[in-house]
Amino acid sequence: MKKFWKALGITALAAAVIPYRIRKDREEDVTTVDALLWQLTRRPGEGEEKNQVDITLGFKSPLQEVREERELFTEDPDEAVLFADMGDDAEADASASAEAEEASPTEETADPVVTEEDFDPDL
């Protein structure tokens, strides 16, 4: 039984210390390493400084981030309209253009007719 608890403790320690995700933001050149008990963030330094490294200690659940991301999005169209960044005029223009597109396809949006002459036998 002692071996079981020792193996369980080593496994728990490894799970808490080994990172489970590495995210890289290429636009801002920020790298974030996440583990259960710590988080490391590396940012480029300003001027002559080297990279800035921030280490945050504490329990960080991977499920908590998934829940937070789900709360950002909604499937209710009435609620989505509340948070839209469009003004009243822009909404009217957008709905009018959407109705015009649905009405009838034009020559530009219709599928072109493909014949045997369109194919190149050398390819």
Side-chain angles (χ1 to χ4, degrees):
M1 191 67 169
K2 227 178 195 183
K3 289 181 183 180
F4 171 74
W5 289 112
K6 189 180 281 188
L8 185 64
I10 291 171
T11 304
L13 180 65
V17 175
I18 296 174
Y20 63 87
R21 177 173 48 193
I22 298 173
R23 293 180 288 178
K24 294 182 180 181
D25 184 3
R26 298 195 191 283
E27 292 177 5
E28 298 180 15
D29 195 26
V30 175
T31 304
T32 305
V33 180
D34 292 326
L36 289 178
L37 293 180
W38 57 273
Q39 179 182 27
L40 180 129
T41 306
R42 185 195 59 81
R43 293 183 179 89
E46 298 176 7
E48 297 178 6
E49 294 182 17
K50 300 275 184 176
N51 294 331
Q52 295 178 348
V53 178
D54 297 327
I55 299 175
T56 307
L57 299 176
F59 181 71
K60 185 171 180 69
S61 172
L63 298 177
Q64 179 181 3
E65 291 180 11
V66 172
R67 283 188 218 116
E68 290 173 358
E69 288 177 5
R70 284 185 186 162
E71 291 175 2
L72 293 175
F73 302 102
T74 179
E75 293 180 7
D76 184 17
D78 295 333
E79 187 176 343
V81 172
L82 294 175
F83 298 106
D85 292 331
M86 299 171 62
D88 294 333
D89 297 331
E91 283 183 23
D93 293 340
S95 63
S97 64
E99 290 174 3
E101 288 178 11
E102 292 176 1
S104 63
T106 62
E107 290 183 18
E108 296 173 1
T109 60
D111 292 332
V113 178
V114 179
T115 62
E116 290 183 20
E117 298 170 356
D118 295 331
F119 294 102
D120 187 11
D122 296 334
L123 293 177

